[in-house]
Amino acid sequence: MTPVLIACSHGTSSLEGRAAIAGVVSRVREMLPGVEVEEAFVDVQEPEIDTVVAGVPPGAASVVVPLLLSTGFHTRVDIARAVAAAPGPCVATPALGPHDLLAGLLAERLRAAGLAAGDAAPGDEAVVLAAAGSSDPAAEVDVMAMAELLTAHLGMPVSVGFAAGAGIRIGVAVEAARATGATRVFAASYVLAPGHFAGVIANAGADIVTEPLAPDDAVAAVVVERYRAALR
């Protein structure tokens, strides 16, 4: 029997955010015909991850793919707890990021928003990778790795700012970029869906802000890749 894929996201009260995540899950179902794909959440929405994992038939295998961009409390505690209590074989994959497909998507969004990058005069433009943030130091490590991937795609430096948790705040990162002479600062939204953190990013003072990543096919492709890697 093919293992169940449990797509576990944070959960949001934003109806637009819920639709974006549901769109990713729907696309994953299309990309994995024959695989049972269930949604689960760690906060705000139901069903909770513990309930979904516990509901897998005894003896049946399952793979939890976090619809989260970085390692953090929810992967290390909430998801890990559910996996440990599973009635059958169950594993959790790494978070979706860092991943080159997501870096490519961010680069596409930035260019579509007008980033000239290599065609601009040096220092005229700046990019801040704007992430939600976490109190877990591992999350910051993941985001910094993502910034390196995005730097490679753009051929220009990318700084990092966080909406919450440890690390430099997005607004501070934006002002630091302006202090170096940048006339246009782009905030690359490194969040999956509309919601609280997307709002914080939008209001952090950047000249141009890209949209959250979901429900782009690149996000679904990373989910599928994580699932298939777990089967191997």
Side-chain angles (χ1 to χ4, degrees), residues 128-130 159-163 167-180 185 200-201 203-206:
V128 175
L129 182 64
S159 61
V160 173
F162 297 92
I168 296 172
R169 289 292 181 263
I170 299 164
V172 173
V174 168
E175 289 307 311
R178 288 207 177 95
T180 65
V185 179
V200 172
I201 294 168
N203 293 300

Side-chain angles (χ1 to χ4, degrees), residues 9-145:
S9 58
H10 182 277
T12 177
S13 58
S14 165
L15 295 181
E16 190 179 0
R18 291 183 180 190
I21 296 300
V24 171
V25 176
S26 177
R27 189 71 182 102
V28 169
R29 289 191 176 108
E30 293 173 358
M31 296 168 81
L32 290 172
V35 175
E36 181 182 349
V37 179
E38 299 287 347
E39 274 192 277
F41 306 91
V42 294
D43 200 3
V44 185
Q45 291 179 251
E46 294 183 344
E48 295 180 348
I49 181 62
D50 303 82
T51 302
V52 176
V53 171
V56 175
S62 57
V63 175
V64 179
V65 181
L67 268 59
L68 303 166
L69 292 174
S70 302
T71 303
F73 179 85
H74 294 305
T75 57
R76 291 189 303 100
V77 178
D78 296 319
I79 292 175
R81 179 189 62 239
V83 168
C90 182
V91 296
T93 75
L96 301 185
H99 197 288
D100 195 60
L101 282 176
L102 300 181
L105 174 57
L106 286 167
E108 288 176 11
R109 295 278 176 85
L110 288 163
R111 292 186 180 110
L115 180 72
D119 296 327
D124 279 358
E125 296 177 332
V127 174
V128 175
L129 182 64
S134 170
S135 59
D136 189 329
E140 185 172 0
V141 171
D142 283 352
V143 174
M144 297 304 291

